[in-house]
């Protein structure tokens, strides 16, 4: 696939990195040649420096042969204009835009006769929804859903004394009620995925991804892991676009305090919120945090635009007694470095946003993609189409499918019912199949497996 990515910031770079290993032709366009040069040195991509909204720049980038453009520059206006030009002047089949302002998220405005945006991504809203889901499961490192919420996957860290630590995976069945089924979809040890089977023994410190029907996931967690108290008090550092959205989302269900260093912004957001308390000050001020009862908080969310400030504020909040802390961290190396130390969760906004983009880029019939462990793995929800003649999977048992190293079928959703599959589970047309890929270089093989194929002969 020939893909133009407009914008070489965190989202654009992460998307390019995710797609370049999948035999796609990637061209990156950005005003700043600096990031382009760094990405060209690291990835097999073509780069063009210039304004992504200019037809001349898009033509230089090869838009006339593009199958897809993804406009993720820092400017909503540039993203919209680029999509409009791509559609009206160059006939690009698929156009995706990142839009930060809710004013632009209007179906009529984005329709083909106006800005011609097929899919609009609002990163701040995605991050807000993601954090709200994490607060529902305070013991989790990551929470994602499939099949319109019918299936939930939760990543947790195994701890000394836990029921599974020191036990083989197959023993999980002994701890669950007879009516509840679940699957350990993957295990990461020392930042690397390990090949698992029923005899694999869980170690303390392992990152374990559990998957079950959404109505059963709490039961599974309760049986297998020490549960934390529900989150009732939250402190947020930063009242920017993300912090303000999260505060607005949470203030109806939690006691929320927001710390904002800019007086004018603090005043503006205080007027926008109904119940949350907004405090003007620095989130790295130890005296301020103590005065605002940091040791009584269930969760501290460092959501400013500065990675270093987020790391420092979250680490300080943890040291001062906050039960659990999260830091928004753009630099992937920082997130890997700090998570699991004083900071419980290092959250990459680009990796949260990229799932929605990948859903529209994958070539099979993909209903949902979730980027896991900051891009190290992916979980795909694929819709099965065709019949036994036109499909490689329909009418086959899982044990009959070709083995793809690093990929496993973790769940099947059929007519709204969640099935935790076994080797003899039959795949049927219309199934939604969740595949966990711990090795991203094999995602293309997974897509190909689920793509319909034309029969060699047709009989009228």
């Amino acid at each position: 696939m020939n893909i133009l990515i407009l914008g070489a910031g965190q989202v654009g770079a992460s998307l390019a990195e995710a797609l370049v290993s999948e035999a796609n032709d990637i061209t990156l366009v950005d005003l700043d040649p600096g990031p382009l040069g760094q990405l060209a040195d690291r990835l097999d991509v073509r780069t063009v420096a210039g304004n992504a909204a200019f037809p001349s720049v898009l033509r230089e980038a090869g838009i006339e042969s593009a199958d897809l453009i993804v406009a993720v520059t820092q400017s909503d206006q540039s993203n919209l204009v680029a999509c409009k030009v791509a559609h009206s002047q160059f006939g690009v089949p698929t156009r995706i835009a990142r839009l930060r302002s809710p004013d632009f998220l209007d179906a009529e405005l984005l329709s083909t006769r106006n800005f011609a945006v097929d899919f609009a991504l609002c990163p701040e809203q995605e991050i807000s929804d993601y954090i709200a889901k994490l607060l529902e499961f305070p013991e989790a490192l990551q929470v994602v859903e499939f099949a319109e919420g019918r299936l939930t996957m939760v990543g947790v860290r195994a701890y000394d004394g836990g029921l599974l630590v020191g036990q083989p995976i197959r023993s999980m069945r002994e701890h669950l009620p007879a009516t509840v089924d679940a699957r350990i979809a993957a295990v990461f040890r020392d930042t690397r995925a390990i090949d698992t089977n029923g005899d694999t023994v869980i170690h303390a410190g392992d990152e374990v991804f559990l998957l079950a029907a959404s109505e059963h996931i709490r039961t599974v967690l309760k049986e297998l892991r020490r549960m934390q108290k529900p989150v009732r008090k939250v402190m947020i550092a930063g009242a920017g676009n993300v912090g303000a959205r999260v505060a607005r989302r949470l203030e109806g269900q939690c006691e929320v305090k927001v710390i904002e260093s800019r007086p004018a912004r603090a005043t503006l957001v205080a007027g926008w919120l109904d119940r949350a308390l907004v405090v003007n000050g620095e989130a790295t001020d130890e005296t301020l945090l103590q005065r605002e009862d940091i040791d009584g908080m269930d969760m501290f969310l460092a959501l400013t635009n500065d990675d270093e400030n987020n790391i420092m504020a979250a680490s300080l909040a943890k040291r001062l007694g906050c039960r659990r802390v999260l830091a928004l961290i753009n630099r992937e190396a920082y997130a890997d470095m700090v998570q699991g130390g004083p900071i419980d969760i290092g959250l990459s906004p680009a990796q949260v946003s990229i799932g929605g983009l990948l859903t529209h880029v994958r070539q099979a019939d993909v209903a949902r993609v979730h980027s896991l462990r900051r891009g190290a793995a992916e979980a795909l929800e694929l819709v099965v189409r065709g019949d036994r003649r036109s499909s490689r999977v329909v009418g086959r048992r899982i044990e009959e499918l070709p083995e793809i190293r690093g990929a496993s079928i973790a769940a099947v959703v059929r007519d709204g019912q969640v099935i935790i599959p076994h080797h003899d589970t039959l795949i049927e047309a219309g199934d939604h199949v969740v595949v966990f890929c711990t090795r991203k270089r094999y995602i293309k093989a997974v897509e190909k497996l689920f793509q319909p194929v034309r029969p060699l002969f047709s009989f009228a």
Side-chain angles (χ1 to χ4, degrees):
M1 184 182 288
N2 192 342
I3 302 171
L4 262 62
I5 300 175
L6 313 181
Q10 289 293 331
V11 174
S14 296
L15 183 62
E17 191 168 6
L19 295 175
V20 76
S21 62
E22 301 174 16
N24 295 298
D25 293 322
I26 309 291
T27 302
L28 276 161
V29 180
D30 198 277
L31 274 171
D32 187 351
L36 291 176
Q38 295 172 13
L39 288 167
D41 289 341
R42 188 163 55 89
L43 305 173
D44 182 18
V45 296
R46 180 169 173 259
T47 61
V48 174
N51 190 319
F54 288 3
S56 59
V57 173
L58 293 173
R59 187 177 285 109
E60 182 185 352
I63 194 170
E64 290 165 317
S65 60
D67 302 301
L68 164 73
I69 73 160
V70 184
V72 288
T73 75
Q74 298 294 325
S75 166
D76 286 1
Q77 292 87 338
S78 292
N79 295 338
L80 287 168
V81 170
C83 287
K84 179 64 175 177
V85 170
H87 171 67
S88 61
Q89 192 165 344
F90 298 105
V92 178
T94 308
R95 303 154 306 276
I96 299 173
R98 175 173 72 171
L99 300 172
R100 291 181 166 179
S101 172
D103 288 345
F104 291 127
L105 299 175
D106 176 80
E108 176 60 24
L109 193 64
L110 302 179
S111 66
T112 303
R113 64 180 179 180
N114 288 309
F115 282 112
V117 175
D118 294 308
F119 172 67
L121 171 76
C122 180
E124 289 80 5
Q125 188 60 50
E126 295 244 350
I127 293 166
S128 174
D129 294 342
Y130 186 89
I131 291 174
K133 182 59 66 174
L134 275 175
L135 265 62
E136 290 182 28
F137 299 88
E139 55 284 317
L141 300 173
Q142 193 161 8
V143 182
V144 295
E145 292 182 337
F146 301 94
E148 299 180 340
R150 294 183 179 91
L151 186 69
T152 298
M153 180 182 289
V154 177
V156 297
R157 194 171 302 283
Y159 68 97
D160 279 319
L163 290 176
L164 280 185
V165 171
Q167 302 295 321
I169 286 176
R170 68 174 73 256
S171 69
M172 180 174 70
R173 179 69 265 168
E174 301 168 9
H175 303 293
L176 297 176
T179 57
V180 173
D181 205 355
R183 165 69 51 82
I184 291 181
V187 177
F188 288 82
R189 183 172 298 157
D190 299 326
T191 75
R192 293 187 178 186
I194 63 172
D195 293 327
T196 59
N197 56 45
D199 296 321
T200 302
V201 175
I202 303 296
H203 294 180
D206 284 354
E207 197 169 325
V208 180
F209 282 85
L210 295 160
L211 186 144
S214 296
E215 65 266 26
H216 295 152
I217 193 67
R218 288 191 183 279
T219 301
V220 174
L221 287 171
K222 190 174 182 179
E223 290 293 329
L224 301 179
R225 187 186 157 80
R226 180 175 50 223
M227 297 294 287
Q228 295 188 13
K229 294 186 301 182
V231 174
R232 295 286 180 255
K233 294 185 177 182
V234 177
M235 185 178 289
I236 299 172
N241 288 334
V242 174
R245 279 179 181 267
V246 172
R248 185 71 175 266
R249 174 74 179 266
L250 298 179
E251 64 177 346
Q253 60 194 68
C254 303
E255 180 183 318
V256 178
K257 289 184 180 180
V258 182
I259 299 176
E260 170 56 48
S261 61
R262 298 165 294 174
R265 180 66 181 177
T267 301
L268 178 67
V269 173
W272 188 52
L273 298 172
D274 296 323
R275 301 185 183 91
L277 174 67
V278 181
V279 178
N280 178 222
E282 296 287 345
T284 53
D285 182 342
E286 183 173 344
T287 303
L288 175 62
L289 292 182
Q290 289 175 326
R291 189 176 72 230
E292 295 301 329
D293 190 31
I294 187 62
D295 60 345
M297 293 292 156
D298 300 313
M299 194 83 175
F300 180 88
L301 307 173
L303 305 178
T304 77
N305 292 322
D306 187 288
D307 284 0
E308 287 81 4
N309 274 350
N310 287 343
I311 292 169
M312 291 298 295
S315 300
L316 179 60
K318 189 74 170 184
R319 183 172 68 79
L320 293 176
C322 184
R323 184 154 58 91
R324 196 160 173 82
V325 301
L326 175 151
L328 202 63
I329 303 174
N330 284 288
R331 297 188 190 180
E332 193 172 311
Y334 281 10
D336 287 332
M337 180 177 65
V338 301
Q339 181 164 298
I343 295 175
D344 297 296
I345 302 172
L347 185 61
S348 165
Q351 293 303 328
V352 173
S353 303
I354 201 173
L357 292 173
L358 291 175
T359 300
H360 293 266
V361 174
R362 298 295 185 211
Q363 293 185 27
D365 197 341
V366 179
R368 196 72 176 96
V369 176
H370 288 293
S371 180
L372 304 170
R373 296 203 77 258
R374 298 174 295 283
E378 273 186 24
L380 300 88
E381 178 188 343
L382 299 128
V383 184
V384 178
R385 304 293 188 195
D387 54 27
R388 190 173 176 86
R389 286 201 311 152
S390 63
S391 169
R392 300 178 181 91
V393 298
V394 171
R396 277 88 172 172
R397 293 182 176 87
I398 288 177
E399 63 188 1
E400 297 176 313
L401 302 180
E403 182 179 356
I404 300 174
R405 186 173 172 81
S408 61
I409 293 178
V412 175
V413 180
R414 180 176 299 154
D415 298 327
Q417 299 298 311
V418 173
I419 300 168
I420 302 299
H422 301 283
H423 65 92
D424 58 350
T425 299
L426 197 70
I427 303 297
E428 298 180 4
D431 286 352
H432 285 233
V433 177
V434 175
V435 179
F436 199 109
C437 295
T438 57
R439 293 173 175 85
K440 290 182 65 176
R441 63 182 177 273
Y442 296 121
I443 287 173
K444 211 67 179 175
V446 172
E447 290 183 338
K448 185 177 180 180
L449 178 64
F450 281 85
Q451 282 178 336
V453 292
R454 288 185 178 180
L456 293 177
F457 300 100
S458 178
F459 298 96

